[in-house]
Amino acid sequence: MWKSCTLVIIIVVQKGGVRMSELVARFELAFNQIHQILKEMNHFPKNDNFVELLQRSKERSVIKEHFDELRQYAKLRNAIVHERVRDDYYIASPHLEVVEELELIKQTLDQPPKALDIASRPVMFFYTDSELLEVMNAFREHGVSQFPIYNGMGGRFLGLLTDTAIVRWMSRHADNGSVSVEGVKVRDVLSHDIAKNVEFLPEKATVFQVEDIFEDSHMAGRKLKAVIVTKDGGYDSSPLGIVTTWDLIKVDAEGTQDE
C-alpha cells in the first residue's frame, strides 16, 4: 500500500521524467529571454508589456509565424507567476512539449535566418556600357523587373535599371511608332531612373535587418525597391543576393503554408 502511494507522488511531481519545478524554470527563462528580444526589437519603449510588444512586432516573419503560440504562452506565464499558491505548487504548469517549443522559438530569435537565405541568387547585373538590347532580352528570359547596374568590372553600383525605365525611355524616343535600340547603351537609359532607392547589407546580415530597412524606408515615405547583399555591405562590391519586398512576402506565405 505504501509503495503504491509513493508511486502516485512521483507521477504528480514529474512530467516525462522532468520535475515540474524544472519545467517551470525553463519556461520562465525562455519566456523572459524572448521578452528581452522583443524589447530590443522595439527599441525599449516605455510600455514593455509582453503582449503589446508582441503586437508591435507582428510583421516580423518569425514573430508572425509564432504569434498565436506566444500570446497563449503569455497567459500561461501570468498564471504561473501571479497565481502561484506557494513556491512549490502551481495552479498551471507547462508541458514538456510547450517548454521545448518556447525554447526553439527563442533559439530562432537568437539566430534568425540570414538575409542571403531569402535573397534571390545569383544576382544578374550589367554594366553601363552593356547593350540595352542584351538587357531587354534578359528581362524577357528571366521574368524579372530590374537589374543592378555597375560602372565597370569591380566598379561602383550606380542604380537599378527597371523595365519601367526602359519603357519610359522608349516612349521618349519613339519615331512613328517604332524605336531603334541599336547601339543604345545602358548608360543612355539609366539616367531616367537614377533614384537611389537601394540599400546594402553585409552577407552576415539577418532577415530582421532587412525588415528593419524596409520598415524605416516606409516610415520615411521613401519607396525602397531592393536590398543588395554584398560581402562587406559596400556598394562597390559584387552583389551576392538581392532582396525585394516580394521576397519578404514569399517568406511570410511559406510560413503560413507550414502552419
Side-chain angles (χ1 to χ4, degrees):
M1 182 66 181
W2 173 252
K3 290 183 179 180
S4 177
C5 290
T6 302
L7 179 60
V8 171
I9 293 173
I10 291 175
I11 291 174
V12 171
V13 173
Q14 297 186 349
K15 284 189 175 183
V18 182
R19 291 182 61 85
M20 185 184 300
S21 58
E22 180 183 339
L23 289 173
V24 170
R26 286 172 55 185
F27 177 88
E28 287 189 301
L29 176 61
F31 185 92
N32 291 336
Q33 289 171 331
I34 292 174
H35 195 180
Q36 183 65 24
I37 293 172
L38 290 175
K39 291 178 185 179
E40 294 173 3
M41 280 184 179
N42 291 277
H43 310 293
F44 298 95
K46 290 183 178 179
N47 182 1
D48 61 359
N49 175 270
F50 184 90
V51 176
E52 176 65 25
L53 293 174
L54 191 63
Q55 187 65 42
R56 290 186 183 185
S57 310
K58 190 174 182 179
E59 293 310 308
R60 300 271 193 176
S61 53
V62 176
I63 299 298
K64 181 179 291 187
E65 182 178 352
H66 300 287
F67 180 81
D68 291 333
E69 296 101 303
L70 287 171
R71 189 167 52 180
Q72 293 302 317
Y73 295 161
K75 295 178 181 178
L76 176 55
R77 189 262 181 183
N78 288 338
I80 291 173
V81 173
H82 301 298
E83 300 180 26
R84 185 180 301 182
V85 175
R86 58 180 184 271
D87 289 343
D88 59 346
Y89 184 80
Y90 306 90
I91 289 179
S93 62
H95 291 284
L96 177 60
E97 294 81 0
V98 168
V99 173
E100 291 175 342
E101 172 65 19
L102 191 63
E103 290 173 338
L104 183 60
I105 295 173
K106 184 266 177 185
Q107 182 180 352
T108 303
L109 290 171
D110 271 344
Q111 301 173 341
K114 299 295 184 183
L116 280 176
D117 293 337
I118 67 167
S120 297
R121 294 188 290 171
V123 181
M124 188 174 185
F125 58 91
F126 293 91
Y127 301 110
T128 51
D129 59 354
S130 297
E131 295 285 342
L132 181 60
L133 183 59
E134 180 185 2
V135 179
M136 293 173 66
N137 288 335
F139 275 128
R140 182 178 63 253
E141 180 179 350
H142 298 283
V144 298
S145 60
Q146 56 195 12
F147 289 115
I149 304 299
Y150 290 79
N151 67 350
M153 186 70 68
R156 177 172 298 186
F157 171 81
L158 295 180
L160 286 177
L161 179 59
T162 65
D163 51 4
T164 301
I166 293 178
V167 171
R168 189 184 304 127
W169 179 88
M170 293 177 68
S171 69
R172 293 174 179 174
H173 292 77
D175 182 17
N176 294 324
S178 63
V179 179
S180 174
V181 296
E182 184 178 355
V184 178
K185 304 292 186 179
V186 166
R187 68 168 65 91
D188 300 322
V189 181
L190 188 64
S191 60
H192 296 280
D193 199 36
I194 59 174
K196 295 299 187 292
N197 42 17
V198 177
E199 295 286 351
F200 289 80
L201 283 174
E203 61 178 336
K204 64 181 180 180
T206 69
V207 169
F208 290 165
Q209 289 172 273
V210 175
E211 292 172 337
D212 282 340
I213 287 179
F214 274 104
E215 177 64 21
D216 291 344
S217 175
H218 174 73
M219 296 300 293
R222 182 168 66 97
K223 186 176 181 180
L224 186 65
K225 287 191 174 181
V227 171
I228 295 178
V229 181
T230 65
K231 185 173 182 61
D232 57 2
Y235 54 82
D236 55 352
S237 300
S238 298
L240 301 178
I242 183 169
V243 183
T244 65
T245 52
W246 176 241
D247 293 308
L248 294 176
I249 291 172
K250 285 193 294 184
V251 171
D252 289 340
E254 289 169 1
T256 301
Q257 291 173 0
D258 291 340
E259 293 177 0

